[in-house]
Amino acid sequence: MQSLQNKKILLGISGGIASYKTATLARRLIDVGAEVRVVMTSGAQAFITPLTLQALTGNPVHTDLLDPAAEAAMGHIELARWADIIVIAPASANLMARLVNGFADDLLTTLCLATDVPILIAPAMNRLMWSNAATQDNAKTLTARGYTLLGPDEGAQACGETGAGRMLEPEDIRDRVVQFATNNGVTPISKHAGSPMPTPSEHNPAANQPSAFAEHHKSLAGLHIVITAGPTVEPIDPVRYITNRSSGKMGFALATAAVKQQAKVTLIAGPVSLSTPPGVTRIDVDTAKSMHAAALNAVHGADVFISVAAVADYRVEQVAQEKIKKNDNAMTLTLVRNPDILASIAAMPERPFCVGFAAETEHVEKYARGKLTKKKLDLIAANHVGQPDNPVFGSDTNSLEVFWPTDGHQHIPAAPKKQVAAQLLDIIAERLPTS
Ligand code: PMT
């Protein structure tokens, strides 16, 4: 596990039933080396006591904007400057609205105005509150201003309903914070610990380094992402076909993760037995030719194309109209090449950012880089398939070697496909051209 060693995390808690999970989150952040200080809104204190968080973090919990005792020790400006990262979990609909409007009527909102460090928020609310246009607009505005949204998740809610709006589990939030800090070069500022009033640039050196710090502004929010997933099937006759072992899990995990990152997602799926992730527009296809047609149609105006599907390279030249009878001991099928969907989209004059997958059983880097170059891709994610301990096809976990032109490479370690998907999307977001 990558670490948050020496990172100072200011953990904001707003009012909501999910705030009881934040006690666990505080512990999980400390487990990976972070120093955690907690700020609670008055709403949060209705659900969980400051004493609990104080005992768990070993630091005083901050609740009041105008607290003479706190001002003497660590006032709001100093507290804002102390942090390397602010994480707000849960972030209620009310808190998001107040952040959008620049309120400074309590300690947490004031801190968010008085800081230049990254702010990550984990929304948690009833599904209708989350899907309400006001909250959705607020989420987009915050993302556009550089906030990073973690979740929400979907599933059973405390109110008895089911849908999107659950706070991510504490371990998921911790992993996303670790990943964010790693990807964005968030710099610990412990060397300033003795300095009473560091200047903003002293406070966070990363703030003066666009290449390291500006990256947290890169986001998939509002972008249109087209993803292909699953196998294709190529008929031989009315009852037989050629296909492969792709289950669609990797592509569906990417679609789910992209929706969580506020992208608009079109998922073109071969025949799989997976349900459509909430918020995704799904187009079902069967053959490579039908997937090709659907993809060409969907990518017009799209920002990113991710080709996860295991597309059959060949189809049967003459599909028999009637069931073929077994008259001979041997039979020959003539196969002809299918169109290369990814290569044809990457060759379009107005093309989206093109991401390929490479399923390799050997020489993973050599073959993946070959496809990256030959198909003129922006990025390729290679998986080592067919290993006895993890065939990748059909399994719930994966690991990826991600390559891009000019020798770029990043390893995504073995993890559930949904986690791998979120990490791949972060790499894609980082590599998207800024326009
Ligand atoms: O679905 P799962 O069970 O979760 O398994 C996931 C997966 C193994 C299918 C996935 O992670 C993966 O590796 N997908 C790509 C599989 C593949 O077909 O790789 P390839 O090396 O043959 O193709 C290279 C790239 O070109 C791929 O992005 C592929 O989608 C694309 N391609 C290939 C042939 C073709 N005719 N058209 C294409 O677009």
Side-chain angles (χ1 to χ4, degrees), residues 228-231 244-251 272 288 291 305-314 337-343 355-360 371 375 377 380-383 385 391-395 398 400 417:
T228 64
N244 59 65
R245 297 180 191 278
S246 172
S247 63
K249 287 178 183 173
M250 190 68 237
V272 293
M291 184 175 275
F305 175 59
I306 312 178
S307 187
V308 195
V311 184
D313 290 317
Y314 294 91
R337 282 297 287 266
N338 268 327
D340 190 311
I341 302 169
L342 177 58
V355 180
F357 265 69
E360 307 296 348
K371 287 172 186 172
K375 300 192 188 206
L377 307 180
I380 195 156
N383 26 219
V385 299
V392 181
F393 280 90
S395 65
N398 198 4
L400 293 174
K417 282 180 177 169

Side-chain angles (χ1 to χ4, degrees), residues 347-427:
M348 287 166 53
E350 303 257 317
R351 59 170 240 179
F353 185 89
C354 286
V355 180
F357 265 69
E360 307 296 348
T361 55
E362 58 176 348
H363 307 303
V364 174
E365 173 159 8
K366 183 176 155 206
Y367 290 154
R369 282 204 179 277
K371 287 172 186 172
L372 178 76
T373 308
K374 189 168 172 223
K375 300 192 188 206
K376 298 189 170 56
L377 307 180
D378 299 297
L379 201 85
I380 195 156
N383 26 219
H384 198 175
V385 299
Q387 300 300 297
D389 57 335
N390 189 357
V392 181
F393 280 90
S395 65
D396 291 322
T397 59
N398 198 4
S399 66
L400 293 174
E401 302 300 333
V402 185
F403 302 105
W404 56 89
T406 60
D407 288 345
H409 171 229
Q410 196 163 325
H411 170 67
I412 300 180
K417 282 180 177 169
K418 72 170 191 177
Q419 217 166 298
V420 170
Q423 293 190 38
L424 177 59
L425 290 180
D426 286 342
I427 297 172

Side-chain angles (χ1 to χ4, degrees), residues 47-60:
F47 290 94
I48 183 168
T49 69
L51 199 58
T52 306
L53 275 307
Q54 182 170 312
L56 288 171
T57 61
N59 282 318

Side-chain angles (χ1 to χ4, degrees), residues 324-344:
I324 299 171
K325 294 292 171 197
K326 49 177 181 297
N327 297 325
D328 301 319
N329 285 338
M331 69 175 287
T332 303
L333 286 174
T334 303
L335 303 180
V336 292
R337 282 297 287 266
N338 268 327
D340 190 311
I341 302 169
L342 177 58
S344 65

Side-chain angles (χ1 to χ4, degrees), residues 72-428:
M74 189 171 269
H76 63 275
I77 298 293
E78 256 184 280
L79 197 52
R81 288 180 176 165
W82 171 85
D84 294 317
I85 303 178
I86 297 177
V87 178
I88 303 177
S92 64
N94 179 46
L95 183 84
M96 290 172 65
R98 289 161 64 226
L99 290 174
V100 165
N101 286 289
F103 279 27
D105 58 351
D106 68 3
L107 182 58
L108 185 53
T109 50
T110 305
L111 287 170
C112 291
L113 284 182
T115 188
D116 58 2
V117 303
I119 304 177
L120 282 59
I121 68 173
M125 64 199 74
N126 163 273
R127 68 183 177 89
L128 292 173
M129 291 172 74
W130 171 248
S131 63
N132 187 286
T135 308
Q136 288 298 305
D137 283 352
N138 289 338
K140 284 195 187 100
T141 303
L142 290 173
T143 307
R145 288 182 192 165
Y147 285 62
T148 298
L149 263 63
L150 311 177
D153 212 343
E154 69 250 357
Q157 301 201 300
C159 55
E161 297 181 11
T162 302
R166 273 170 67 97
M167 188 169 91
L168 290 181
E169 293 303 319
E171 290 73 17
D172 285 340
I173 296 176
R174 174 207 54 201
D175 291 350
R176 301 286 292 274
V177 174
V178 169
Q179 189 188 350
F180 179 91
T182 307
N183 290 349
N184 293 280
V186 173
T187 312
I189 56 168
S190 50
K191 65 179 184 226
H192 297 296
S195 163
M197 279 292 175
T199 64
S201 58
E202 282 173 332
H203 155 62
N204 188 347
N208 286 341
Q209 296 170 10
S211 60
F213 194 68
E215 283 180 357
H216 87 273
H217 292 277
K218 291 192 176 175
S219 147
L220 299 177
L223 300 189
H224 182 195
I225 302 184
V226 178
I227 300 170
T228 64
T232 62
V233 294
E234 309 300 330
I236 298 170
D237 68 14
V239 297
R240 302 178 180 101
Y241 55 79
I242 299 169
T243 190
N244 59 65
R245 297 180 191 278
S246 172
S247 63
K249 287 178 183 173
M250 190 68 237
F252 276 56
L254 274 158
T256 306
V259 167
K260 281 188 187 162
Q261 296 191 19
Q262 318 293 322
K264 178 185 161 201
V265 179
T266 303
L267 178 61
I268 301 170
V272 293
S273 53
L274 297 174
S275 54
T276 309
V280 164
T281 302
R282 173 171 174 174
I283 301 167
D284 285 316
V285 296
D286 48 16
T287 62
K289 276 167 91 176
S290 63
M291 184 175 275
H292 190 212
L296 286 179
N297 197 32
V299 294
H300 282 294
D303 301 287
V304 180
F305 175 59
I306 312 178
S307 187
V308 195
V311 184
D313 290 317
Y314 294 91
R315 67 178 182 277
V316 177
E317 186 175 37
Q318 291 291 340
V319 177
Q321 296 305 307
E322 307 297 339
K323 185 179 172 197
I324 299 171
K325 294 292 171 197
K326 49 177 181 297
N327 297 325
D328 301 319
N329 285 338
M331 69 175 287
T332 303
L333 286 174
T334 303
L335 303 180
V336 292
R337 282 297 287 266
N338 268 327
D340 190 311
I341 302 169
L342 177 58
S344 65
I345 288 171
M348 287 166 53
E350 303 257 317
R351 59 170 240 179
F353 185 89
C354 286
V355 180
F357 265 69
E360 307 296 348
T361 55
E362 58 176 348
H363 307 303
V364 174
E365 173 159 8
K366 183 176 155 206
Y367 290 154
R369 282 204 179 277
K371 287 172 186 172
L372 178 76
T373 308
K374 189 168 172 223
K375 300 192 188 206
K376 298 189 170 56
L377 307 180
D378 299 297
L379 201 85
I380 195 156
N383 26 219
H384 198 175
V385 299
Q387 300 300 297
D389 57 335
N390 189 357
V392 181
F393 280 90
S395 65
D396 291 322
T397 59
N398 198 4
S399 66
L400 293 174
E401 302 300 333
V402 185
F403 302 105
W404 56 89
T406 60
D407 288 345
H409 171 229
Q410 196 163 325
H411 170 67
I412 300 180
K417 282 180 177 169
K418 72 170 191 177
Q419 217 166 298
V420 170
Q423 293 190 38
L424 177 59
L425 290 180
D426 286 342
I427 297 172
I428 292 170

